Amino acid sequence: MTYIKSLGEVGRDEVALAGGKAVGLGGLIQAGLPVPPGFVLTTDAYREFVSANHLDAAVQDLAALPPDASPQEYEHASVLIQTLFHKGTVPDAIKADLEAAYARLGSGSGSGTPVSVRSSATAEDLASASFAGQQDTYLNISGPEALTQAVFNCWASLWTARAMAYRSREGVRPDQVRLAVVVQQMVDADAAGVMFTANPANGHRDQTVISAAWGLGEAVVGGTVTTDDLVVEAATGTVLSRHTADKHVMTVPAENGTVEQPVAEDRRRAPVLDDDAAAALAAYGKQAAERFGSPQDIEWARAGGGFFLLQSRPITALPEPAADTPDTWPVPYPKGLYFRASIVEQMPEPLSPLFADLIDGSVTRSLSALMNDALGINALREGDVRFPTINGYAYYYYRTSAMWRMTGRTVPALGALFRGKAHMGIAGWRDHSHPRYERVIKDWSRHPPAGLPGGRLLAGVQELLDAGTVYYTAVQSIIPLADMSEISFRAFYDRLVRRAGDPPAQAFLLGFDSEPIRAEKSLYDLAGWARSDPVLASALLERTTAELAECQRTGSAPEGVDNALWQEWRFAFREHLGLYGHAVYNLDFATPVPADDPSAQLETVKFYLRGQGTDPHERQRQLTERRESLTRDAAGRLGPRRRAVFFRLLRWAQEAAPVREDALADVGLAWPLLRSLLLELGRRLVASGVVASADDVFWLRFRELQSAVEFGLAEPGMPAAVTGAPRPVRAAAVEERRMLWRGQAKATAPQMLPQKPWMEKAFGSMMPAGPQHQPGDVIKGAGASSGRVTAAARVLRGPEDFGRMQPGEVLVARMTTPAWTPLFAMASAVVTDVGGPLSHSSIVAREYGIPAVLGTGVATQRLAGGQQVTVDGDAGTVTMERPSTALDR
């Protein structure tokens, strides 16, 4: 058999034979693009080498490390595998094929032709992960012996600690990867670099980004030399921007390798590529992207005035197109103050356009009604309170004169709060607000969305949102009661009860059930039930969460699972979602709730099914026993009067804290139904040619949706299709708004506006997030749960990132709601941008016994995934131990 294949003959479907790099080069050649001549030594050669030297079983055994293996374990395994490889010999048949192909390279110019030797792995250059740089490359190799040695080194590089750890993180098993080796005629480049056919900074597919340096390109790829950077408009070749660097060193060929040498003085600040050259190179990139059907990451070189493409692979983790990140915060209404607090804490990101339009009036109406009820008629006047967005972020706006009027009526407000008047206080929530919210939902649940006229669907959306807003406004009166009760008990306990060595006051408030804790117990019980059947347990563990979610949605049992058993499991899981699937990750109804996408809940079931985490029933039992024991000990050493006050304050705090969590957990009670109404409207607008997909409805303005309904474009059965348009009529507007949102999402919204020193001084301590300017390696926040942990950080923006969370990592988020609670079971600590010692995050962290530092203001901006951090919940600090690396991401 032959172990050699010409690069031009490598087909798209031959990754298993030639590896990702060779497939990419084959595609470039077949597209007529300039590629240095070469060949690939196929994976058959690697397999034969391993087989002939009896290495396979030993290598697979050594490389089969557990998912939580340490860097030291990977390094140890790599050393042992490398030792085995270096004891092996290359079979004669492989040597003969390699030498013959090498002799032919360069038109028979002799055995001294300089070549580049690059690894081409079967798990390399995939759309999901690039694996770039995980295996070795050797440049300017001359002679058969040096070539054979370079090939041997490439094979061995498949098992470096770095490569094994990376593949493990990407879910590639040791037995799934083999290595081919690409050999190409060396390009004696005077310049080289990297080209991205889409802009990785903003995701724009119509921009090509080029990095260029003098000499060979390997140093550019490795990041060891400074480069010129250009952005080119792909369609026209126009250079949109350029940065010309001071280039001190360059990489040049040396005997069987490369060296660095200084750049000549007259070339250091000279541009490597002029505009015409950049346009020509970008045109090659455009051809390559069209050939592969996706944006490409291309290595290139220039020699003799012409360009050569040395490698092409899909760009991984390319962001969706985004607008520029805003850096100014103009306010829409003068003579007032703007705050991101209270309900806004549940809206950590920019709002979708439809939600922004609807929530402004809804919050304004409900808050004005509550304030006038608590403070007296006409305490608030038209325009005193609003809920606008600035750069997409929600703010409470209070007219300055209204702030003074409300301050003067604080005493009546406190009276209404403690009396439980209307929607206020625990009694008001329990007897009035929650039942009313449930009634509205029940009324609309009687009508299947598919049968409702468009106008009724829109009316339902507005009524359900208003009901949710009124409910949340009522919940805002419970939060200060819970806060006051805990503060009062803690002050009394710390001053008059606590002795040296006693636990903090929070220990007396743990072990109570609340909605998030009950949801956690339910998932734990589902895992326990699944564990009782080995076939079901295996099916849940072996399939991806996406596959399980699809089986859950369709009702089809996973292969090998008895259908009756699966339907029983599915019914139990649906019962869980019926009870807890309304918990919101954030209040914007554009974000799916667990009832829509139960991926996070399924991941938690799998977490418990693997035997990870602790039994929440046992944890709560132990906390309850400890609380009762502490209570007896403390009360036993108090006199009658002090004991009476102690129990009165303790019972107040113990009643209020769980109610607060229950009330917050039900804020989104209407959201599954509300979203179903909106998505039904979206499906009808797709059929009518208004939008491209059902969830585009969230990106319409309210007036646009209202007009579509009024024009009969959202009726059931036979929609009145919009004709004559090449694409849905609102498609361009939706795409533009999504781009704008992505740019806004990169901003850090100020907690208060206008940004004045006096505002920070007057209100800064009341805000849920700390200062947004914190230089240095220590980030400060509020210590909300005791303890000290050093571990890798995991920055999560929302439920779409939950699958990236690994047990033992530090959960870092802008904020958390009750829907985030399942992640606390995996986390070793919690860090947030927004929140304080009395927030949801702090209460749950204490229940789990993990440290928490909240309200940092900057954690999600400053920390990177995989970065080692020390979280000190007592000091309220997060210390960055070392910078993150590519391997960590």
Side-chain angles (χ1 to χ4, degrees):
M1 66 178 296
T2 178
Y3 297 101
I4 301 296
K5 196 174 181 73
S6 169
L7 286 176
E9 297 173 352
V10 178
R12 293 189 184 196
D13 58 351
E14 293 190 290
V15 171
L17 180 69
K21 194 176 277 91
V23 168
L25 289 169
L28 294 176
I29 294 170
Q30 292 151 23
L33 292 163
V35 174
F39 60 87
V40 57
L41 184 68
T42 67
T43 56
D44 288 337
Y46 171 82
R47 187 188 296 109
E48 178 61 24
F49 167 79
V50 170
S51 175
N53 291 281
H54 310 291
L55 300 177
D56 192 47
V59 169
Q60 295 302 320
D61 184 56
L62 289 168
L65 294 170
D68 57 350
S70 67
Q72 292 78 16
E73 288 174 301
Y74 279 112
E75 189 63 44
H76 179 66
S78 175
V79 169
L80 294 177
I81 294 173
Q82 299 287 323
T83 301
L84 292 174
F85 264 71
H86 283 87
K87 290 179 180 178
T89 57
V90 179
D92 291 340
I94 297 175
K95 279 187 179 181
D97 270 9
L98 183 61
E99 290 177 7
Y102 178 50
R104 291 192 298 269
L105 195 60
S107 302
S109 59
S111 60
T113 303
V115 293
S116 63
V117 183
R118 290 184 168 93
S119 305
S120 182
T122 54
E124 186 175 76
D125 301 341
L126 306 178
S128 59
S130 75
F131 293 81
Q134 298 305 315
Q135 280 78 54
D136 288 349
T137 291
Y138 300 91
L139 300 181
N140 204 43
I141 301 300
S142 297
E145 290 186 10
L147 174 59
T148 302
Q149 184 61 46
V151 166
F152 179 85
N153 291 339
C154 283
W155 286 341
S157 73
L158 190 62
W159 304 106
T160 63
R162 178 182 61 177
M164 287 193 294
Y166 188 91
R167 290 195 297 269
S168 176
R169 290 180 71 89
E170 295 298 327
V172 177
R173 300 193 312 270
D175 62 351
Q176 291 178 308
V177 63
R178 290 181 298 279
L179 196 76
V181 180
V182 169
V183 180
Q184 286 177 282
Q185 196 171 85
M186 186 74 184
V187 177
D188 188 10
D190 66 273
V194 176
M195 169 170 55
F196 293 92
T197 66
N199 193 327
N202 57 26
H204 287 196
R205 272 63 170 174
D206 57 353
Q207 295 178 357
T208 298
V209 178
I210 300 171
S211 294
W214 300 118
L216 301 177
E218 200 64 22
V220 177
V221 176
T224 60
V225 297
T226 54
T227 62
D228 292 354
D229 298 309
L230 303 88
V231 178
V232 181
E233 187 176 57
T236 64
T238 303
V239 175
L240 301 176
S241 67
R242 71 161 58 238
H243 166 70
T244 302
D246 185 356
K247 299 169 282 291
H248 295 272
V249 297
M250 59 190 291
T251 304
V252 297
E255 184 177 354
N256 275 321
T258 61
V259 295
E260 287 189 354
Q261 70 177 35
V263 175
E265 186 64 31
D266 62 340
R267 302 179 77 194
R268 277 180 49 177
R269 297 172 185 83
V272 175
L273 301 176
D274 60 23
D275 285 6
D276 289 341
L281 183 58
Y284 284 144
K286 187 171 183 290
Q287 281 183 258
E290 290 171 351
R291 163 71 188 185
F292 294 110
S294 65
Q296 296 291 296
D297 170 1
I298 298 170
E299 293 178 27
W300 61 270
R302 184 180 65 188
F307 289 105
F308 293 91
L309 306 188
L310 308 179
Q311 182 169 309
S312 185
R313 56 176 169 254
I315 300 176
T316 57
L318 182 67
E320 292 296 322
D324 292 338
T325 303
D327 55 8
T328 60
W329 299 83
V331 296
Y333 309 118
K335 298 181 181 179
L337 307 178
Y338 296 77
F339 301 96
R340 278 187 55 75
S342 188
I343 190 174
V344 184
E345 294 177 47
Q346 311 294 313
M347 305 175 194
E349 295 185 322
L351 305 185
S352 60
L354 184 60
F355 185 76
D357 287 351
L358 290 172
I359 198 68
D360 183 2
S362 189
V363 167
T364 300
R365 289 190 297 271
S366 64
L367 186 61
S368 297
L370 181 73
M371 290 292 190
N372 285 329
D373 193 41
L375 303 176
I377 300 300
N378 295 324
L380 290 181
R381 300 163 190 168
E382 181 69 27
D384 278 351
V385 177
R386 295 179 185 269
F387 200 71
T389 59
I390 303 173
N391 290 328
Y393 289 88
Y395 281 85
Y396 270 120
Y397 162 80
Y398 295 96
R399 187 179 285 159
T400 308
S401 57
M403 292 280 287
W404 288 111
R405 284 199 305 277
M406 288 190 294
T407 302
R409 302 191 185 188
T410 301
V411 174
L414 288 174
L417 185 68
F418 282 98
R419 288 194 304 273
K421 181 179 180 181
H423 287 285
M424 299 192 72
I426 292 176
W429 167 79
R430 182 180 55 243
D431 301 333
H432 186 75
S433 303
H434 198 276
R436 178 188 178 278
Y437 193 22
E438 289 181 312
R439 280 197 302 273
V440 174
I441 297 168
K442 185 177 181 180
D443 288 344
W444 278 98
S445 297
R446 295 192 181 102
H447 311 288
L452 292 175
R456 286 288 290 159
L457 289 174
L458 191 56
V461 167
Q462 292 176 297
E463 188 173 341
L464 288 167
L465 181 65
D466 282 348
T469 307
V470 169
Y471 176 83
Y472 190 90
T473 303
V475 172
Q476 288 184 81
S477 70
I478 292 178
I479 294 172
L481 280 175
D483 293 352
M484 282 190 288
S485 69
E486 182 171 332
I487 290 169
S488 299
F489 172 71
R490 187 171 63 212
F492 180 84
Y493 173 77
D494 286 346
R495 186 168 182 177
L496 299 174
V497 180
R498 189 177 186 183
R499 296 177 179 176
D502 282 353
Q506 290 89 339
F508 291 84
L509 308 180
L510 301 179
F512 289 97
D513 260 357
S514 63
E515 190 88 340
I517 299 300
R518 288 189 290 271
E520 178 203 5
K521 289 178 177 178
S522 173
L523 291 173
Y524 181 85
D525 292 343
L526 281 168
W529 183 65
R531 191 182 293 112
S532 66
D533 188 284
V535 175
L536 178 59
S538 295
L540 292 172
L541 288 174
E542 292 172 4
R543 282 159 180 79
T544 66
T545 303
E547 290 171 338
L548 292 174
E550 182 65 13
C551 290
Q552 183 70 26
R553 185 185 68 82
T554 62
S556 58
E559 186 178 352
V561 178
D562 176 71
N563 185 63
L565 176 65
W566 176 254
Q567 297 308 324
E568 189 178 353
W569 153 264
R570 181 169 175 256
F571 178 78
F573 189 72
R574 288 179 65 181
E575 277 193 320
H576 169 87
L577 294 178
L579 291 170
Y580 308 110
H582 58 268
V584 295
Y585 300 108
N586 72 63
L587 275 176
D588 191 332
F589 51 45
T591 303
V593 293
D596 300 312
D597 180 5
S599 298
Q601 287 64 38
L602 288 167
E603 199 63 48
T604 303
V605 170
K606 293 170 73 173
F607 170 75
Y608 284 131
L609 199 51
R610 288 191 292 266
Q612 297 172 307
T614 58
D615 179 347
H617 298 281
E618 179 62 18
R619 183 194 68 228
Q620 296 301 104
R621 187 190 65 77
Q622 291 179 3
L623 289 172
T624 299
E625 285 186 356
R626 181 169 185 258
R627 181 190 74 224
E628 292 173 351
S629 174
L630 291 171
T631 302
R632 286 193 299 270
D633 290 346
R637 61 176 185 252
L638 298 177
R641 291 183 181 179
R642 193 172 293 184
R643 185 186 306 120
V645 176
F646 171 78
F647 275 117
R648 190 178 305 120
L649 293 175
L650 177 61
R651 287 168 185 146
W652 182 28
Q654 288 177 340
E655 176 193 15
V659 169
R660 177 187 185 280
E661 291 299 290
D662 287 345
L664 280 172
D666 275 355
V667 168
L669 203 58
W671 263 231
L673 178 57
L674 194 159
R675 279 179 50 82
S676 72
L677 299 182
L678 281 168
L679 289 170
E680 177 63 26
L681 282 169
R683 283 187 286 271
R684 297 181 189 181
L685 296 182
V686 170
S688 299
V690 177
V691 295
S693 66
D695 60 1
D696 284 350
V697 70
F698 302 116
W699 299 88
L700 296 177
R701 307 298 332 189
F702 174 68
R703 287 183 181 178
E704 294 170 343
L705 180 58
Q706 189 176 42
S707 296
V709 170
E710 290 172 353
F711 275 101
L713 299 176
E715 296 309 309
M718 298 182 64
V722 179
T723 60
R727 60 188 301 206
V729 294
R730 290 296 175 192
V734 167
E735 289 174 7
E736 184 177 341
R737 288 166 193 165
R738 287 183 187 271
M739 280 181 55
L740 179 63
W741 186 93
R742 294 183 196 109
Q744 293 170 336
K746 297 177 183 177
T748 301
Q751 290 288 292
M752 299 169 288
L753 291 172
Q755 292 178 285
K756 302 289 186 182
W758 70 266
M759 281 277 287
E760 179 65 36
K761 187 174 182 180
F763 301 104
S765 62
M766 305 177 192
M767 292 297 101
Q772 294 172 344
H773 303 287
Q774 294 198 47
D777 293 334
V778 178
I779 300 172
K780 296 181 179 179
S785 182
S786 296
R788 194 170 189 270
V789 163
T790 298
R794 180 57 56 199
V795 183
L796 305 179
R797 293 194 67 86
E800 67 278 6
D801 293 337
F802 281 11
R804 298 170 52 214
M805 184 77 186
Q806 297 297 314
E809 292 182 326
V810 175
L811 169 60
V812 182
R814 285 193 173 186
M815 48 76 72
T816 69
T817 65
W820 290 67
T821 301
L823 294 184
F824 283 65
M826 302 185 193
S828 60
V830 177
V831 177
T832 67
D833 290 347
V834 175
L838 302 173
S839 68
H840 161 79
S841 302
S842 67
I843 292 170
V844 179
R846 290 176 210 154
E847 294 281 354
Y848 281 84
I850 57 176
V853 176
L854 312 180
T856 65
V858 296
T860 59
Q861 302 291 325
R862 296 286 313 280
L863 302 179
Q867 188 170 9
Q868 288 291 119
V869 297
T870 296
V871 180
D872 191 329
D874 297 296
T877 59
V878 181
T879 304
M880 293 175 274
E881 300 296 335
R882 62 175 176 84
S884 65
T885 66
L887 182 60
D888 295 324
R889 294 181 184 275

